[in-house]
Amino acid sequence: MATPFWGSGGFMLEIKNLHATVNGKEILKGIDLTINDGEIHAVMGTNGAGKSTLSNVIVGNPAYEVTEGSITFNGKDLLAMKPEERAHEGIFMSFQTPIEIPGVSMTNFMRAAVNARRQAKGEEPLKSTDFLKIMREKRKLVEIDQKLMNRSVNEGFSGGEKKRNEIFQMAMLEPTFCILDETDSGLDVDALRIVAEGFNKLRTSETSAMVITHYQRLLDYIKPDIVHVLIDGKIVKTGGPDLALKIENEGFDWIKAELASI
Amino acid sequence: MSEQNQFVREVAEKKYEFGFTTDVQTEIIDKGLNEDVIRTISAKKGEPEWLLEFRLEAYRYWLTQEQPTWGHLTLPEIDYQAISYYADPTKKSADGEKKELDPELVKTFDKLGIPLEERLALSGMAVDAVMDSVSVKTTFKEKLAEKNIIFCSISEAVKEYPDLVRQYLGSVVPYRDNYFAALNSAVFSDGSFVYIPQGTRCPMELSTYFRINARNTGQFERTLIICDEGSYVSYLEGCTAPMRDENQLHAAIVEIVVMDNAEVKYSTVQNWYPGDENGKGGVLNLVTKRGHLRGVNSKLSWTQVETGSAITWKYPSCILQGDNSQAEFYSVAVTNNHQVADTGTKMIHIGKNTRSTIISKGISAGKSQNSYRGLVKVGTKADGARNYSSCDSLLLGSECGAHTFPYMDIHNNTATVEHEATTSKINEDQLFYCNQRGISTEEAVGLIVNGYAKDVINKLPMEFAVEAQKLLSVSLEGTVG
Amino acid sequence: MKSEQQYIELYGEVSNLIKQKSCDIMNNVRDAAFASFEKVGFPSKKVERYKYTDVDAYFAPNYGVSLNTLEVKPSKYIFRLAESPIDLSAYYNTIADNNDGITALNTAIAHDALVIYVPRNTRAEDPIQVDNWLRGNTSTMVNRRVLVILEQGAEATIIMNDHAEDKQRFLTTQVMEIFCKDNSHLDIYEIEETTPLCSRFSNVYINVERDCTVKHNSITLYNGQTRNLCDVVLKGENSEVTLNGCAIAGGSQRIDNNTLIDHRVPNCTSNELYKYVVDDKSVGAFAGKILVEKDAQKTVSHETNSNLCASADARMFTQPMLEIYADDVKCAHGSTVGVMDETALFYMRQRGVPEEEARMLLKNAFMGQVIDQIQLQPLRDKLFVKVEKRFRGELEKCDDCRLCK
């Protein structure tokens, strides 16, 4: 069988006519988006355009309600799945604001997550020693301090540490599709570089990602294949990496002007 | 030590500046309480039969009840037969209609800072002035009537708007609610009636001023406020009484009904005579105040500054029935000498996504006892209900007490209820800092206490806020030596 | 017939037998206690401190009263009151409040008492463990009486485990009097792990003298109906008392904790932390009062009660109280009833942790705050495991649990 022009894996994520509301207010007003194996898509847009809603809907945050449309992932209906089932399928979101969970240690948290995923795949839970060994390896890979592992999840972590912890968890869970939801917010350049390099290290040729950002900055490190512009709940423009550069220099007004002229 | 005592006495004697009496011809009925007395009151007020029945039913119920005793509240023995239940300081002509206002009455209210002449009025405030059992005068009635707002005494409302009164009277506080509610329902005299029609924002603050003057009388205020759909009103209440050696009884009921999208703000500055420095005399302030947030998105806020009364027994409450309704309770209670304040609120969450906030500041000095007593109840259907309560107490002196008794009954797993309370003495570093800047301890205490109470004072309308600030400082003079 | 009557009749029938089996020190106060019980009866819900528990209902069924002699393995610090080598009449029944009907009943019919006595300047190296096993082949009432005395400079850790076996109903009353003399240090744990057929009424009275540290921990892992009262009186300066509690209720269980810390003297500190998780149709109640008397200047007191309602039918009543008559104090209390943190729940699910598991982790973390404060490490480790098992529904051995359904 001939390899299709988009690669070998087919459509990894396919979003069709997606509408979603938060507290009864419509935020997404018909999104169509296809992400193939190994592709990096950047989604840019002004505040309140619906970028975070889009990522939260993909991972199934119960605070968001899908009113119309579909999302399939490797051919499976994602909307019918619970958040944890979506995670087991290989979807990972790096949170814009990682959540603090007092009293739950990082080790216990990760053990529960890794073993739940193994169980979903029909694998035995990891032995403690094996699990701790993997923890240690991944920790070194993303250069995260051991002392953070003994604390409760994200509790007392600095902004940079929290973001790095997200990348660490990504390393532990080995997802095939990653959403980086404004991973760059609140990070200085060095921290940004470390997080981006961590992501690039973990990435395989099959890993695809959706990178949500305001700025070109992050895209200097994580090079997108395709750039989308989201305004008022719709994708209004799609282009190559140069689109991100143009937005960095000129902002969004020219796109709005283009839209208005149609 | 004795020097300080003397100072305290001096302050106690000088500080209650509203302790004068008014020499006015007052018609007082004989002391005692029985069905005939109730018939007399009802007849004097020219009431319809249904209201007399209402009173008699309440009276019969009251007879079966006992005075409540709980916690810290030890009420003195009240001889209900030694009180006169009706005192009318207004002159009547032969046919019983009210004549011109007695100039003495006008002078009294002037002295209290409540001008009864509209041209002298504080800007944007209409007043209903009640002395003893009778409403003396209500200002700006006509102006308010232009917007179909009804603001008058409840006696007048019974005559002019009987259907409205009959529909709502006792609908929020039934006479069976408690001992004093039953007593009030039997013998209530005067108070205010407010009706804000649909979609109306009341253009001025409505205010009732209560004055007890006559000796050995009880005052049984009855106020009813109805705020119809989409309307707004801010209502203020002030109270004073002369200095008398015997206790005077003020047993009130205030009922508020708030419909869909309506908002009521109710503010009280209570400065009844607190009794002398030995605890002799003073008003027994036994009050049932309750708001029923019937409508969706309705709002009610109670703000109170309690500085007077020998005993205060008062829990302005909210029944949050309408979905998304919001209730607030802001309270500052200051007690000095032998005063006892037992005050707080009840927030009963019934509707979905209802919210309530409680901020209470107690300040105790002298030999007084100051308690916050409150209940937050979340019913089984009140999904998403939230309450936040914060109750702080400040102790000035080693002979007083400050207590916090919150009750929380949570019957819904989606509710979030938070309560926090602290008790401490006045911060000595702050005092010293003030001293170092040349501010006397006395004055510094006033400043610090006002700062402490600021969250609540800020909720009062401007004119009242200034008054309340002065009152706080005055009430606490002589407490720190 | 009110339920008191059967106990009044019982006393008439068996008081002689009880007296024969008992000892002078207990018999001396027995009739007076009974008279007090006759007078006050069981507290009704109108009594403020009993407003959340219908005592009468639990005492109404007909129980056989256990008059078995205590089995006490000979030990350095534990003995039966009847076999006491020293005169303890200055302690027995001196701080228990016989105006409380349950205490009075216990004083009247308890025929034996357990004594834990740590002599002057003695440190009990190993924790003193007392295991109470409720077993029998008929509904049984057990009246347990305990006396704990730490002499000057003594130090001890005491663990009291309550277990129940068999498919029988048990009604337990417990009255424990604890005396901490100057400079003594006590760390005491009461751990209940019984069955839904058990009712427990425990009244603990603690007297604390100068320079002491006292920690009382009440842990209810599994039960039927539990009512724990704990009254502490601080009588000597520079002492510190901590009352901690952990209550986990599911099914139709009830847990009612009622505490009073009475600061009578200056310069003492009290801390209190009680946490509840109420699930299914269970009911939790907490009432804790901090009383600071007039002379108790420089008191520092902090009380926290946090509760998690995990199901729509669960109920929580809480009542943190401050009653303060001294001015130079720092007292605070806080109480919360809340829901599980939805954002944390979602975060965990995004990482692939199933919802049930995530809830369990959060409940565990919530209780962890109390367990963390346990100083005795082996016990702390054990309780972490037990609490987790409890939340997984693996602790119950009865037909009311998820595991057996």
Side-chain angles (χ1 to χ4, degrees), chain B residues 247-267:
Chain B
N247 290 128
Q248 291 158 292
L249 182 61
H250 174 86
I253 291 181
V254 174
E255 296 177 283
I256 300 178
V257 179
V258 196
M259 302 301 200
D260 289 358
N261 303 306
E263 181 176 359
V264 175
K265 280 190 178 174
Y266 190 107
S267 314

Side-chain angles (χ1 to χ4, degrees), chain B residues 104-317:
Chain B
E104 279 299 312
L105 285 180
V106 177
K107 251 194 252 166
T108 300
F109 281 97
D110 268 349
K111 227 163 148 183
L112 297 169
I114 312 295
L116 297 183
E117 288 179 58
E118 289 181 6
R119 62 182 175 83
L120 298 174
L122 292 168
S123 59
M125 191 184 296
V127 178
D128 181 25
V130 178
M131 191 190 275
D132 297 328
S133 308
V134 173
S135 166
V136 178
K137 164 109 186 173
T138 309
T139 61
F140 293 105
K141 256 170 31 180
E142 294 74 18
K143 187 167 179 235
L144 290 167
E146 285 167 18
K147 290 202 151 203
N148 295 320
I149 293 169
I150 304 171
F151 179 46
C152 63
S153 74
I154 196 128
S155 308
E156 193 181 332
V158 168
K159 288 188 188 127
E160 305 289 331
Y161 316 98
D163 294 343
L164 272 177
V165 175
R166 196 171 181 180
Q167 187 184 347
Y168 291 106
L169 188 77
S171 70
V172 185
V173 182
Y175 63 79
R176 287 174 175 269
D177 194 79
N178 66 68
Y179 184 80
F180 298 107
L183 178 65
N184 175 288
S185 299
V187 300
F188 72 85
S189 38
D190 230 335
S192 301
F193 177 81
V194 176
Y195 177 79
I196 315 288
Q198 272 189 30
T200 307
R201 198 181 162 85
C202 185
M204 50 196 345
E205 309 270 354
L206 304 185
S207 161
T208 306
Y209 199 89
F210 291 92
R211 173 77 180 167
I212 299 179
N213 185 53
R215 195 176 281 271
N216 297 325
T217 57
Q219 188 178 53
F220 300 92
E221 167 203 354
R222 186 93 192 193
T223 289
L224 179 56
I225 298 172
I226 301 142
C227 194
D228 218 326
E229 283 176 33
S231 298
Y232 167 86
V233 65
S234 166
Y235 179 92
L236 320 168
E237 177 198 55
C239 353
T240 56
M243 287 156 66
R244 301 210 185 270
D245 283 349
E246 65 275 12
N247 290 128
Q248 291 158 292
L249 182 61
H250 174 86
I253 291 181
V254 174
E255 296 177 283
I256 300 178
V257 179
V258 196
M259 302 301 200
D260 289 358
N261 303 306
E263 181 176 359
V264 175
K265 280 190 178 174
Y266 190 107
S267 314
T268 306
V269 174
Q270 185 264 103
N271 187 25
W272 294 119
Y273 177 54
D276 70 7
E277 76 282 6
N278 297 316
K280 199 168 183 197
V283 171
L284 308 180
N285 188 33
L286 314 168
V287 176
T288 308
K289 294 188 174 189
R290 192 172 304 152
H292 188 180
L293 291 96
R294 282 198 198 176
V296 296
N297 307 318
S298 54
K299 281 188 193 168
L300 172 59
S301 96
W302 296 102
T303 306
Q304 60 174 26
V305 175
E306 304 280 320
T307 59
S309 296
I311 291 178
T312 295
W313 184 92
K314 180 179 172 190
Y315 316 92
S317 302

Side-chain angles (χ1 to χ4, degrees), chain B residues 7-19 269-272 274-275 305-308 332 334-337 339 363 365-366 396 442-450 457 465-480:
Chain B
F7 182 62
V8 169
R9 192 174 316 123
E10 277 170 17
V11 168
E13 279 165 7
K14 82 166 184 219
K15 80 174 185 207
Y16 194 76
E17 55 179 313
F18 308 107
V269 174
Q270 185 264 103
N271 187 25
W272 294 119
V305 175
E306 304 280 320
T307 59
V332 175
V334 182
T335 53
N336 199 350
N337 296 320
Q339 280 177 277
I363 299 146
L396 307 173
E442 196 80 345
E443 205 178 326
V445 169
L447 277 177
I448 293 165
V449 166
N450 261 308
I457 304 278
V466 175
E467 198 58 37
Q469 268 172 13
K470 270 194 256 161
L471 213 52
L472 283 185
S473 307
V474 171
S475 301
L476 288 169
E477 269 177 25
T479 52
V480 176

